[in-house]
Structures are given as C-alpha cells and as structure tokens.
Amino acid sequence: MTLRQPDSPGGSTRTIRATKPTIAYGQDTQHSAFPGVTRLPDGTLYVVHRQGSNHYTNRDGFLRSTTSTDNGRTWSAPATVVAASAGTDYRDPSVSLSRTGTTLYLTYFKGTTSVAAAGSFFRSSADNGVTWSAETRIDASLPSSAITAPVVQLSDNTLLAAHYSKSSGDTFDSVWLARSTDGGATWTSSRLVNGQAAGRDYQEPYLVQRGSALFLTFRWGNNASIGAALSTDSGTTWSTPAAAFTGSGRPSSVWQADDTIVVAFRDGSGRFAMRSTRDRGASWLPPSIVQTPPKGGQSTYASLLETTPGQVFTVLAAEDPTSTESRLAFAYLGSGAQVTPLGFVPGEQDAARSGYDQLVLGTTFQQPNGALPIPWWTGNGAVTVVDGVLRSASADNVADHAVLETSSPDHRVEADFAWSGQAGFGLFLRYTDAGNYLLFTAETGGVNLRLYKAIGGTLTQLVLATGKPVNAGGFHTLAAAVRSGTVTAAVNGETIIHFDLASADNSALTGTAAGVKVNEQAGGTNQCRRVVVTT
C-alpha cells in the first residue's frame, strides 16, 4: 500500500525511491549483466540475463534465466536459455508476456569479433520458458543491428520490437521499429528516429505501452542524453523525438498504473539512476541514485516491472573497472512510504529524518562466506566474510583495505570492530588507492587513536588522541567524517578528533571512496560486523 505523505499534496511530485539492492548470491558468476524481467501468469518472476567472462571483448556470452515464486526473496538455480556458441556473443536479453499470458517473448542480439551488432533476434515459449522456438531475425538482415528491449503486443496482437541498426552505407545508428502480425514468424522494419540524417547515434531504444499509447526512450548521441518520443495511436504517428535529460546506457522504463513512467539509466558517473515523469515526458523529476558501482566501473543495466500498483520490482547489475566482474542485484522502487518484499521504501518525511537519500550502503555482512560483492572493492591485501563478520583473508599482518565508491569527497563512515592480539583496524575517508587516503585507526593495544594522511604513498600522522581506549574483546563503534576539509572522528558516540586539513592536503586528498581497514596477525583477529557509509 502506498501512503500519501502529508507534505506532498497531490502526489505527482513525490520522489521515486528504492530499497537498497540485494545481491543475487548464487545466481551469477564472473560477468552477469544486461537483465530483463517479466511475470508469469501464476505470479512467478522470470529473469533473464547475459552470462560471460567479461563485458564483451571475449565474445562468449550466453543467456540464462532464474525464477522467484516469493516476489524476489529467493531464486531458483539458473537455467540456460540460449547456450554458448563458439565465436558468437549472445547479448542483452529481454523478456515479456503476451496479453493472454500464454506466450513468453524473448529478444536478444548477437555479436562477433568482426561484427559487434550482428542481428536482432526473437524467440517465443508456450511453456513458461522451459523450451523456446527457433530464432527468427527481426531486422531483415541489416548490416548492423542490435536489440536491448522487450517486445510489446498491441490490442490487435501485432508485435512491436524497437531495435537500433544501420542500413547499408550508414555511419550512425538509427532507432527502427519492427512489426510482426504472425506471432513473430516474420517482421518488417522501418526507421523511426534517423541518426544518419541527424549526424548522431540513436541507440538502445526501449518501448513501453499503456493502451494505445507507446513511450519510447533511447540513447541520444551515444553518451550525451536520453531521448524520448510519444505515440498515442499504437505507433502510427509519433511526437518529435527530443533529448529529455542527461544520461547514458540503456534507458529501461516501466509505465505504471497511475500513469507514472520511470526510466532507469546510467548517469555520468556510471551509477544506476532513475527519473520519472507524470505527464508523459513533458517534465521530469530530479534523478535518484539506486546503486553506485566501484570507481571506474559502471551500471550494466536494469529492468523494471510493476508487480502491484505503485510497486516496481527491479533487477539490476553493476561491473568493476576491469569489466570482468558484474553482479546481479534486486530491488523495489516506489513513491511514498511502503513495505516491499525486499524491504522498506521510505516516504519523504521518513527519508528526511533518517538521511535515507544520503545512504550509500549499510551492511551487517549477512552473506555467504567469502569475498565481498560489488560495489565493494579491495584497495590493498584481501578481505573475507566469515559467519557475518568481515576479516582479513589471512593473518599475515598486511593491511587489508575494503572500500566503496560514494561519488563525493565529503562522506561519513561508521563501523563496529572487535579485536584480539593486535589492533590496527580503522576507517578510510577520501580513499583513492593504497597510497592516497585519510585513515582513522586504533593502534597500540587500542589506546592510541590516530588520524593519518597518506599522499603519494607517504603516511603522516595528523592527530593523536588518547584517553578513550578501544579495549580488546567486545565490539566498539568507530565513526569518521570529512566535510569541506574538516575531519571529525568518534569512538562509541563520543567525538575525540576535530581537525581542519591544511589547504594543500585538502586539495591533494580528493578521493571519493570510503571504507574499512582490518589488519590481522597470527594469533589475533580483527572483526568488523557492521558498516554504514553516507554522503
């Protein structure tokens, strides 16, 4: 149920917020990305995604699926939808359901080492994805064609598929609209938004439907903006396509029952962002950030599905800077305060009171034992999670750095630590790499609390605080923040450091990551059971 906030009369300007993404443990390996989702007639969520060894250069992608019968809380073991084939990269699957609920529609494209976009393809399934028909080509053998969006079915059963392609001799991608009147056996395509004439690429179109109205979003100029166009007559005529807002990546969208259109896209920092419109694209609410990938990484797309009025299930993915690891995650979107199967979406007042919009990540490490998932990354050494606590991967007296991107040089990190044998744990601020950061740490048997700066690999003590020991045994809460060059640090809720960075240090320390340090040695432990990072 959506609760209307007293300070948000009319509802039309309420911000869309999301639950914090839940990692899809056990569903993906190495590079899992570019997901799609639909709902089967019995309510089962059906997700497809591309699985490969990296983003695209190895050209070894294949397509997998997984299902959830409890609205996204748990998921089946992954199944293969389209198997790997040497030299062919199956990419960007999308899935949708027929109006009668009897047929699943699947789209994807192929890439090879010689042709990056080697055709847009369609399959159907009459048994909820257990088996699939032979593929048919949507784009009529254009020399370059790709599709990243699901099929839409009109009231007369015509199927529509938006793809981006080049005709012979073209140097820019255009948005094309394909139609099938025989259930996908044959298709005819026509150019809808002409990139060749405009002298810019129009790519990764995404089509959603409400009655006879269709709303199209697409990449405008590759990485410049998100474009949009509206049809009110089932695609016969369209408004003049225009750039709607700054953004990039596949602009996946959902058209909700209350006429809100939500668009998920990649912002200029590579983050998964979303914007919404209540007037069919005439105006847009400010962007909200759902997930921040590791620095240098990027969102590897999302797919949205309204499961109940006002509540949108989302499957999303993000990759590391090397483009070799990408992880699936799940979340729910909503406006106004509501409880979803994956947690609480706060309304405006709750978000303001709790600082929800400034929360980058909060975790108690409730995950399978092993490595931390994206968006975490390791700046030095190695860490592992063991029975709900973060520890050094080995007791080798090497400092282990676990950090995550905040996209801001001003941030705060709080964590609970316990130790034995040797202290040496702490909190990172303005982290760039293993040689550039601020560090608030407990040393010398937990008696000395120090603030360090590291610039160019040289570690220098800035502040020494004593009198508030962090004793071995139980957990203690450490907190540190940096705001406009002022650093504060606290132990168990009591501030013990308030320090203004020198101008040169403030200018040199520009990192936007934050995180924790553990440093175990033989016979001792450093344990972290909780971390909260905010901007």
Side-chain angles (χ1 to χ4, degrees):
M1 179 176 69
T2 300
L3 305 178
R4 188 173 302 282
Q5 296 296 297
D7 58 351
S8 301
S12 62
T13 60
R14 288 182 297 169
T15 298
I16 303 290
R17 292 186 172 88
T19 60
K20 297 306 175 183
T22 300
I23 297 297
Y25 295 109
Q27 289 301 320
D28 49 6
T29 57
Q30 204 158 347
H31 198 279
S32 304
F34 317 116
V37 63
T38 193
R39 198 168 199 176
L40 303 181
D42 65 357
T44 296
L45 293 174
Y46 185 92
V47 166
V48 292
H49 74 275
R50 175 203 181 255
Q51 185 73 54
S53 60
N54 66 6
H55 192 108
Y56 74 92
T57 56
N58 288 349
R59 293 300 180 192
D60 58 4
F62 61 100
L63 309 185
R64 302 176 84 180
S65 69
T66 181
T67 59
S68 174
T69 58
D70 54 11
N71 295 310
R73 296 181 183 91
T74 61
W75 292 86
S76 67
T80 298
V81 175
V82 178
S85 178
T88 299
D89 189 11
Y90 294 96
R91 303 190 56 80
D92 294 48
S94 293
V95 65
S96 57
L97 187 67
S98 67
R99 294 169 58 248
T100 60
T102 57
T103 306
L104 276 177
Y105 302 128
L106 174 71
T107 61
Y108 55 91
F109 76 96
K110 297 179 185 179
T112 67
T113 54
S114 57
V115 182
S120 301
F121 294 89
F122 168 87
R123 295 181 189 236
S124 62
S125 173
D127 54 13
N128 293 330
V130 177
T131 61
W132 292 90
S133 67
E135 67 183 19
T136 58
R137 188 157 178 173
I138 295 172
D139 62 280
S141 301
L142 290 168
S144 174
S145 181
I147 187 168
T148 59
V151 162
V152 167
Q153 187 180 33
L154 301 178
S155 59
D156 66 357
N157 295 324
T158 296
L159 301 182
L160 300 182
H163 58 94
Y164 63 107
S165 305
K166 294 183 179 78
S167 190
S168 181
D170 286 355
T171 55
F172 294 96
D173 282 313
S174 297
V175 173
W176 297 65
L177 187 62
R179 293 176 180 265
S180 174
T181 57
D182 54 12
T186 60
W187 296 83
T188 58
S189 290
S190 59
R191 200 186 309 245
L192 183 59
V193 189
N194 194 327
Q196 189 65 22
R200 69 170 67 91
D201 284 311
Y202 296 132
Q203 299 167 327
E204 298 191 292
Y206 205 95
L207 196 63
V208 290
Q209 173 192 32
R210 184 168 175 79
S212 61
L214 298 169
F215 195 78
L216 176 74
T217 48
F218 55 95
R219 293 172 72 152
W220 178 284
N222 190 270
N223 288 307
S225 300
I226 301 301
L230 174 70
S231 172
T232 58
D233 54 11
S234 298
T236 302
T237 61
W238 291 85
S239 65
T240 301
F245 52 82
T246 300
S248 184
R250 179 183 73 184
S252 308
S253 55
V254 62
W255 203 331
Q256 296 180 246
D258 67 354
D259 211 35
T260 299
I261 299 172
V262 182
V263 179
F265 62 99
R266 184 190 294 154
D267 78 352
S269 298
R271 299 175 297 182
F272 169 32
M274 57 184 177
R275 298 190 74 158
S276 60
T277 175
R278 289 293 300 271
D279 50 19
R280 301 189 173 190
S283 61
W284 294 86
L285 290 181
S288 298
I289 304 302
V290 179
Q291 186 185 55
T292 301
K295 188 175 181 64
Q298 61 182 351
S299 164
T300 40
Y301 298 173
S303 184
L304 315 178
L305 176 74
E306 187 173 35
T307 52
T308 60
Q311 200 166 97
V312 175
F313 172 79
T314 306
V315 53
L316 59 146
E319 71 179 11
D320 70 351
T322 68
S323 299
T324 58
E325 181 185 356
S326 180
R327 298 298 301 271
L328 298 177
F330 307 116
Y332 273 89
L333 314 181
S335 61
Q338 55 181 286
V339 177
T340 80
L342 296 179
F344 181 62
V345 176
E348 189 70 16
Q349 294 185 29
D350 290 329
R353 282 192 293 265
S354 66
Y356 187 85
D357 293 341
Q358 288 71 53
L359 177 64
V360 177
L361 181 140
T363 182
T364 57
F365 302 109
Q366 300 304 301
Q367 65 166 74
N369 289 351
L372 284 173
I374 288 174
W376 289 97
W377 53 282
T378 303
N380 191 69
V383 296
T384 188
V385 174
V386 180
D387 298 336
V389 293
L390 180 71
R391 299 182 55 177
S392 295
S394 60
D396 54 9
N397 201 25
V398 171
D400 305 305
H401 304 177
V403 295
L404 53 86
E405 181 61 32
T406 73
S407 298
S408 171
D410 286 355
H411 41 248
R412 181 180 186 274
V413 58
E414 177 179 302
D416 294 345
F417 293 99
W419 65 278
S420 65
Q422 171 180 285
F425 53 86
L427 306 175
F428 289 114
L429 301 170
R430 290 198 178 178
Y431 191 99
T432 298
D433 54 35
N436 296 274
Y437 53 77
L438 292 167
L439 171 65
F440 173 52
T441 183
E443 298 179 333
T444 323
V447 173
N448 294 328
L449 285 302
R450 291 186 169 97
L451 177 66
Y452 289 101
K453 68 175 181 180
I455 298 178
T458 299
L459 192 67
T460 305
Q461 179 179 291
L462 298 175
V463 180
L464 168 64
T466 60
K468 300 295 178 184
V470 181
N471 297 321
F475 280 91
H476 300 266
T477 299
L478 272 62
V482 56
R483 306 290 184 195
S484 301
T486 298
V487 182
T488 56
V491 174
N492 295 323
E494 185 173 352
T495 300
I496 61 169
I497 291 175
H498 190 287
F499 180 78
D500 291 326
L501 295 172
S503 178
D505 290 344
N506 189 42
S507 297
L509 293 163
T510 58
T512 54
V516 299
K517 172 195 173 191
V518 287
N519 187 17
E520 294 189 30
Q521 64 176 0
T525 62
N526 283 184
Q527 300 182 64
C528 178
R529 68 180 182 185
R530 180 183 68 94
V531 177
V532 179
V533 178
T534 58
T535 56

